[in-house]
Amino acid sequence: MAALSSTPSLGRLLAAVKNASLHSRWQAVSSSSARYSTVQDPQEKTFDKILIANRGEIACRVMKTCRMMGIQTVAVHSDVDASAVHVKMADEAVCVGPAPTSKSYLNMDAIMEAVRSTGAQAVHPGYGFLSENKEFARRLAADGVAFIGPDTHAIQAMGDKIESKLIAKAAKVNTIPGFDGVVETVEEAVKIAQDIGYPVMIKASAGGGGKGMRIAWNEEETREGFRFSTQEAASSFGDSRLLIEKFIDNPRHIEIQVLADKHGNALWLNERECSIQRRNQKVVEEAPSTFLDAATRRAMGEQAVQLAQAVQYSSAGTVEFLVDSSKNFYFLEMNTRLQVEHPITECITGLDLVQQMIRVAKGYPLLHKQEDIPINGWAIESRVYAEDPYKSFGLPSIGRLSQYQEPVNLSNVRVDSGIHEGSDISIYYDPMISKLVTYGSSRAEALAKMEDALDNYVIRGVTHNIPLLREIITHPRFVSGDITTNFLPEVYPDGFKGHQLTAGGQKELVASAAALHIAAQLRSQTFLGNQRVSNSSQERRRWDLCVELGKERHPVVVLRSGHTYTVEVGGDRLEVSGEWDLASPLLPLKINNTHRILQCLSRTATGEVCLQYLGTSFKVRVMSLLAAELSSFMPEKVPEDTSSILRSPMPGAVVAVSVKPGDTVAEGQEICVIEAMKMQNSMTAAKTGKVKSVHCKAGETVGEGDLLVELE
């Protein structure tokens, strides 16, 4: 396509935007929570209709920019996604198959037919699915449809980790030592690992997102890692090829956002710090990084641009690096698509990356020079997942969102989501609920905003990872910027246990539960604001109670004055005040002049209450002194002996069963493999014994807690 030049009017508009404050540039967006600027020249024509070959939050994100640019959108969906938010948001929607991704969102024939039937002129692939599939891009080009991403050459070159490493070396980009070829067999993998020296990283040649990646510290782990990585790579990307390279211990994962056009122009849009990970998948990201100085940032940015230009890259893309403690950096991979964490770059630069991708796909040159790219403020992204953070820092959870409320009422908070109250989180797709982004003029301000946003985020019906996210962003190591990719296992060596209450925090929680209990009692005694039955000339002002938290019991005295309760606990007096709107999912309180946002997750007439306090849910029981005395005579429930049984820790599909009744298994031996959200998990025996019965078989779907195998 011939080059398209910008009009004088656009130049004046961009000059005005560039010289405006960041706040005013945000206001160019119709939604004040978006935190990026879509400045559209009405004379600059792009496409009339774009099909988004994706689902969930990224499909909604692309549609928002298309709407601002006056472009009609087409959604594709599986049959179970027929009522999804992205389907309702689009101007048109086409069903492309049943729930499994291989039959719907990866069904290239069905998506190509949807493009033809709707007359879409371009396709935005989002991330994942077909976003880095060169065959999909080739077929679109053959039909005269624009692929909003790089061309097939760049996808091929950068999508293959083996080829991309060779190209990076030729482009004088720092690379990690390793074997520059495809590893064919497990025996070859063992030999290569021994030659490189442990530890090594085994990873899929195609794809990314932490799938098909394993770290091996010895021969046994190499053999196991080769098997699982091969299976995950084939399942996720349709390509089982693997490579092996040296694993850099205790690195930071820092990536550079690049943007390039079809005219040879390329920019680096600063970095994103992505070191907080679990199972090689990012959890919390921020921009900029606390670690980089200006010289290192520029060196990384320039090498990223060198790599992009080496493959004639055109679109938004991300070059990922590992950075050691001495600020030496090594090329990891290039993602030839819009990255999940792109919002934080939009926050600090003011650029709408989706709009830039659409402009580039149409053939327009970039409107900015490298010196135009700012770092304004600080942005942090927390990936909110339907996961149980107490199981391996996050195993998938499924269910229906019975109550859902995003904290978008707060300033400088952005939520990218594709769900609403009533949406189902299923086993078929990624368990991400949303990307929660906060912005501040400084890192401290952005962190404080994130803490507030997490406290105000209401998610009911599924288990979620907000407890983990809140603990991460308030941990002293994270606050100081002392992080690596090993942050989670180092900070929580025995696994995540939730917020650990201090003595002061324990008293705050006990006092809040006691005050809530009395407020609920008083509300139940009123009707239309009046007492149902007046049996006393004097309204009650004092209560003697017992609050049970964990295995401890706390005698408390509660005194009431209006909306304020004075609670005597453990020799201290705490004043707890609030509006006590018990119909609201949020419970804003002031405890001794400290503002807290609690959530009452459940409450019973018998005094049992579950409170979310500082991100973690705590079960508390509030009783009268008599009830507390009598409850001590109640028999305790004997916990189940889990050493002889194996239950599924998550919902998923059984990939393989390695044992049968009568087999003898050793402690730690693999019994079966469960796949959930394209990640394979090995289930092992808790003790040595003989298999009594097997309750699952390959191909079956299991739920969380389902019995898999019993031992004698």
Side-chain angles (χ1 to χ4, degrees):
M1 171 176 281
L4 299 173
S5 60
S6 61
T7 64
S9 61
L10 177 60
R12 287 194 297 273
L13 180 59
L14 286 168
V17 170
K18 178 182 174 183
N19 294 323
S21 68
L22 184 63
H23 177 76
S24 65
R25 277 187 279 153
W26 285 346
Q27 304 314 308
V29 190
S30 60
S31 170
S32 63
S33 63
R35 305 290 172 254
Y36 54 86
S37 176
T38 304
V39 180
Q40 177 65 15
D41 176 18
Q43 312 227 347
E44 185 180 81
K45 301 299 181 185
T46 54
F47 304 102
D48 297 322
K49 186 183 290 186
I50 291 176
L51 182 144
I52 296 91
N54 217 297
R55 67 179 299 277
E57 65 85 13
I58 190 58
C60 295
R61 164 67 190 92
V62 174
M63 288 176 192
K64 288 176 184 175
T65 289
C66 288
R67 182 176 292 172
M68 293 173 201
M69 297 176 71
I71 301 171
Q72 289 191 311
T73 56
V74 179
V76 294
H77 64 90
S78 65
D79 52 10
V80 298
D81 270 348
S83 299
V85 173
H86 78 282
V87 174
K88 296 176 180 178
M89 190 173 176
D91 297 296
E92 300 175 59
V94 179
C95 182
V96 290
T101 55
S102 60
K103 298 178 180 179
S104 52
Y105 296 103
L106 290 173
N107 187 343
M108 212 178 298
D109 291 337
I111 293 176
M112 290 300 302
E113 181 54 36
V115 172
R116 297 187 193 102
S117 65
T118 59
Q121 300 163 322
V123 171
H124 196 300
Y127 55 75
F129 294 138
L130 297 172
S131 63
E132 295 177 282
N133 189 302
K134 65 181 183 298
E135 176 61 17
F136 183 51
R138 185 196 65 76
R139 288 181 63 173
L140 288 171
D143 277 15
V145 177
F147 178 74
I148 302 176
D151 62 22
T152 55
H153 166 68
I155 296 174
Q156 164 69 33
M158 292 294 98
D160 187 312
K161 289 184 174 65
I162 296 168
E163 185 178 350
S164 68
K165 190 173 180 180
L166 296 174
I167 293 172
K169 281 185 176 180
K172 301 191 182 327
V173 176
N174 304 343
T175 58
I176 301 171
F179 177 69
D180 298 329
V182 179
V183 183
E184 301 286 355
T185 66
V186 67
E187 296 303 329
E188 186 181 3
V190 170
K191 183 179 185 308
I192 291 169
Q194 291 172 342
D195 290 343
I196 295 173
Y198 291 107
V200 297
M201 172 71 82
I202 305 168
K203 60 183 181 180
S205 176
K211 297 179 176 67
M213 296 177 67
R214 289 291 190 280
I215 299 167
W217 294 81
N218 52 48
E219 180 179 333
E220 181 182 350
E221 291 182 4
T222 301
R223 292 180 181 277
E224 184 181 81
F226 182 89
R227 177 165 67 95
F228 280 122
S229 292
T230 301
Q231 292 170 354
E232 286 180 6
S235 172
S236 298
F237 317 117
D239 184 344
S240 61
R241 293 176 304 145
L242 301 178
L243 68 130
I244 297 180
E245 60 191 17
K246 181 69 176 177
F247 174 67
I248 298 176
D249 201 12
N250 290 316
R252 286 175 179 257
H253 185 143
I254 300 176
E255 61 191 26
I256 300 291
Q257 175 72 58
V258 295
L259 181 64
D261 62 23
K262 300 177 188 294
H263 309 283
N265 304 305
L267 305 171
W268 48 275
L269 308 183
N270 303 309
E271 79 277 7
R272 294 186 290 255
E273 171 77 71
C274 306
S275 298
I276 306 298
Q277 303 179 4
R278 50 97 178 92
R279 299 191 301 278
N280 300 311
Q281 291 182 309
K282 301 159 190 171
V283 180
V284 176
E285 303 102 340
E286 61 182 307
S289 168
T290 60
F291 188 62
L292 296 190
D293 52 47
T296 308
R297 176 179 295 114
R298 175 171 292 278
M300 293 175 70
E302 289 175 349
Q303 287 199 17
V305 165
Q306 286 168 212
L307 181 61
Q309 292 178 325
V311 293
Q312 299 177 321
Y313 195 86
S314 61
S315 193
T318 299
V319 181
E320 301 192 351
F321 294 94
L322 290 180
V323 185
D324 68 20
S325 58
S326 300
K327 292 189 173 70
N328 299 308
F329 57 91
Y330 305 93
F331 170 68
L332 186 61
E333 64 182 8
M334 183 176 189
N335 293 313
T336 58
R337 53 170 166 81
L338 188 65
Q339 200 83 328
V340 176
E341 57 274 15
H342 76 274
I344 54 177
T345 295
E346 294 181 326
C347 285
I348 67 168
T349 63
L351 294 176
D352 180 339
L353 293 182
V354 174
Q355 182 199 23
Q356 299 303 317
M357 294 178 76
I358 293 172
R359 290 188 69 260
V360 168
K362 186 63 177 176
Y364 289 103
L366 297 181
L367 294 166
H368 305 85
K369 303 292 185 185
Q370 188 61 57
E371 57 269 21
D372 298 332
I373 306 304
I375 298 181
N376 284 320
W378 214 283
I380 298 172
E381 175 181 286
S382 292
R383 298 194 188 188
V384 182
Y385 282 107
E387 290 182 338
D388 186 344
Y390 302 97
K391 297 177 180 178
S392 302
F393 300 112
L395 291 184
S397 169
I398 62 172
R400 176 166 294 174
L401 292 168
S402 57
Q403 196 168 13
Y404 184 73
Q405 183 176 302
E406 296 173 349
V408 291
N409 60 304
L410 304 177
S411 63
N412 290 357
V413 172
R414 167 178 168 178
V415 183
D416 282 15
S417 67
I419 47 90
H420 55 55
E421 196 165 286
S423 291
D424 287 312
I425 307 295
S426 74
I427 65 170
Y428 297 107
Y429 311 118
D430 189 272
M432 181 184 285
I433 293 174
S434 74
K435 300 180 305 197
L436 177 63
V437 181
T438 58
Y439 172 84
S441 58
S442 65
R443 186 171 186 260
E445 184 181 337
L447 281 172
K449 283 286 181 185
M450 180 61 72
E451 190 175 337
D452 201 18
L454 289 168
D455 284 343
N456 280 272
Y457 207 145
V458 178
I459 305 172
R460 311 283 167 79
V462 296
T463 305
H464 54 77
N465 68 332
I466 283 179
L468 175 62
L469 295 173
R470 198 184 188 286
E471 285 300 295
I472 290 171
I473 62 130
T474 57
H475 193 278
R477 267 191 61 179
F478 184 86
V479 173
S480 69
D482 177 20
I483 59 176
T484 70
T485 55
N486 290 327
F487 177 87
L488 289 179
E490 286 176 355
V491 171
Y492 308 106
D494 300 320
F496 180 66
K497 307 295 184 184
H499 179 74
Q500 301 302 299
L501 290 170
T502 62
Q506 191 176 65
K507 290 178 181 178
E508 278 194 12
L509 183 57
V510 167
S512 300
L516 174 64
H517 179 76
I518 300 303
Q521 273 192 353
L522 294 177
R523 189 184 74 158
S524 68
Q525 295 170 7
T526 61
F527 179 74
L528 296 179
N530 298 312
Q531 286 284 333
R532 292 176 183 268
V533 178
S534 180
N535 57 4
S536 160
S537 59
Q538 291 284 330
E539 190 177 350
R540 189 173 178 183
R541 299 287 181 182
R542 175 188 170 109
W543 293 263
D544 292 280
L545 303 171
C546 177
V547 179
E548 186 177 79
L549 175 61
K551 295 184 178 180
E552 295 184 10
R553 289 187 169 184
H554 305 266
V556 302
V557 176
V558 182
L559 305 173
R560 174 174 171 256
S561 176
H563 291 299
T564 299
Y565 295 87
T566 301
V567 183
E568 298 177 3
V569 53
D572 290 334
R573 291 169 65 94
L574 285 78
E575 284 197 356
V576 184
S577 60
E579 292 302 317
W580 304 105
D581 180 3
L582 304 185
S584 171
L586 298 175
L587 189 63
L589 298 176
K590 191 162 77 168
I591 307 174
N592 281 0
N593 294 317
T594 298
H595 290 274
R596 300 284 191 202
I597 299 292
L598 280 70
Q599 294 188 33
C600 182
L601 305 181
S602 64
R603 181 169 50 85
T604 69
T606 57
E608 293 177 340
V609 61
C610 184
L611 288 175
Q612 183 174 306
Y613 170 76
L614 301 181
T616 297
S617 60
F618 294 91
K619 291 183 178 179
V620 184
R621 186 162 58 148
V622 184
M623 303 168 282
S624 66
L625 296 181
L626 176 60
E629 182 183 351
L630 295 176
S631 68
S632 62
F633 296 101
M634 296 292 289
E636 290 188 11
K637 183 179 179 180
V638 179
E640 180 182 40
D641 178 13
T642 57
S643 64
S644 298
I645 60 173
L646 177 65
R647 294 187 182 275
S648 179
M650 78 212 90
V654 180
V655 176
V657 179
S658 308
V659 298
K660 62 183 183 299
D663 287 354
T664 299
V665 295
E667 181 180 349
Q669 180 179 331
E670 181 179 289
I671 289 179
C672 63
V673 177
I674 305 292
E675 182 178 283
M677 281 77 174
K678 297 297 181 183
M679 297 292 287
Q680 296 198 358
N681 303 273
S682 176
M683 303 292 105
T684 59
K687 68 176 186 180
T688 299
K690 182 177 286 187
V691 176
K692 178 181 178 182
S693 58
V694 177
H695 298 268
C696 63
K697 59 183 179 182
E700 285 186 344
T701 299
V702 295
E704 181 180 354
D706 284 1
L707 183 61
L708 303 175
V709 173
E710 287 183 275
L711 301 180
E712 293 181 353

